[in-house]
Amino acid sequence: MIIYGSSISPFARKVLVALNEKGIRYEHRPVAPQAEDADFRAASPMGKIPAIDHDGFRLADSSAILDYIEHLSPQPALIPADAQGAARARWFDKFGEVELDRKLSVVFTERFLKPRLFKVPGDEALAQQALDTHLPPLFDYLESQISGPFLVGGAFGIGDIAVAAPFHNLRLAQVEVDAARWPKLAGWVALTLDRPAFVTAIAAPAW
C-alpha cells in the first residue's frame, strides 16, 4: 500500500497511525497538498492528502481510508463492534477533523507554518483569539468525555487517533494543553501521542 501525504498533516497522520497500529506494511510517499505528482493525482484528483494506492485501488480522504483499513485488517479493531460504540467512534473522528482541527490549525498556521515554512510573519492576534476563545469550549467538551485512557469502548481506536492527531501540531506551535485547567485532557493527549504508532507517524518525512 502506498500512502501519499505529509506527516505534518493531521489527516495523513491519522492514516499512518492506523497502519502502524495494525502492523500493515506500507510505503510512505511524502507529498504536499495539490502537488503535481502524476501518481498522487491519480489517487487524489482533487489534490487532497492523504491518499492511498493499494494494488490499483485508489482513495483519498482520511476517514474513508480508515474505514477501508478496518475492513482490510479487522484486528486489532479500531472501531467498536457495538452500534453505539461505532457511532461514537465515528463522531469523534468527525469532531477531530471538523471541529477541533479547524480551530487548532489557526494557531498552527500563524505560529508555525507561516514563519517556519513560508518565511512570512504570522498573525499573532488570530492565534491568540483561537487559544482564548475558540479552543477552550472544545477542550471543555473533551475534558467532560475523558474517563480513562481511551475515548470509546475501553480500547484504542479511531476516535483517539482523530482527536489526538491535531494536538501534535499544537505542540509544534509551542502550545501545550493547560494541565491545571484541563487535567484529564492534558494527560490523555500526552499518553496518546506517546504511543509507538504515533511516535513512528510523527517521525515520518513531512515533504
Side-chain angles (χ1 to χ4, degrees), residues 2 4 6-7 12-14 25-26 38 41 45 57 59 64 72 77 79 95 99 108-110 118 166 171 182 199:
I2 300 170
Y4 298 98
S6 169
S7 65
R13 189 176 301 135
K14 285 168 55 178
R25 294 179 62 184
Y26 62 89
R41 295 309 283 258
F57 175 72
L59 185 66
L72 186 71
I79 301 175
F95 175 85
E99 303 295 339
F108 176 64
T109 297
E110 302 304 330
F118 301 147
R171 286 182 172 181
W182 299 288
V199 172

Side-chain angles (χ1 to χ4, degrees), residues 13-57:
R13 189 176 301 135
K14 285 168 55 178
V15 173
L16 294 173
V17 170
L19 291 169
N20 293 335
E21 284 287 335
K22 288 181 175 291
I24 298 174
R25 294 179 62 184
Y26 62 89
E27 176 189 345
H28 175 221
R29 295 187 185 177
V31 296
Q34 307 301 321
E36 292 301 328
D37 176 287
D39 291 336
F40 164 57
R41 295 309 283 258
S44 180
M46 301 299 106
K48 293 176 58 178
I49 60 172
I52 65 168
D53 185 332
H54 187 211
D55 296 330
F57 175 72

Side-chain angles (χ1 to χ4, degrees), residues 2 15 26 29 34 88 100 104 122 126 131 136 164 169 177:
I2 300 170
V15 173
Y26 62 89
R29 295 187 185 177
Q34 307 301 321
R88 278 181 56 78
L100 181 62
L104 191 150
L126 279 179
L131 289 169
N169 287 25
V177 176

Side-chain angles (χ1 to χ4, degrees), residues 97-174:
E97 182 178 272
V98 178
E99 303 295 339
L100 181 62
D101 185 69
R102 285 182 182 175
K103 303 295 191 303
L104 191 150
S105 65
V106 174
V107 184
F108 176 64
T109 297
E110 302 304 330
R111 289 191 175 179
F112 183 87
L113 278 184
K114 285 184 177 179
R116 294 283 296 275
L117 296 183
F118 301 147
K119 308 303 181 184
V120 297
D123 188 328
E124 179 58 25
L126 279 179
Q128 199 61 50
Q129 181 184 41
L131 289 169
D132 293 342
T133 305
H134 300 146
L135 285 171
L138 303 182
F139 289 3
D140 288 343
Y141 170 71
L142 288 172
E143 183 77 8
S144 76
Q145 297 299 300
I146 295 170
S147 59
F150 312 115
L151 286 177
V152 180
F156 183 78
I158 64 168
D160 303 289
I161 293 172
V163 174
F167 277 100
H168 175 65
N169 287 25
L170 198 63
R171 286 182 172 181
L172 291 176
Q174 303 300 310

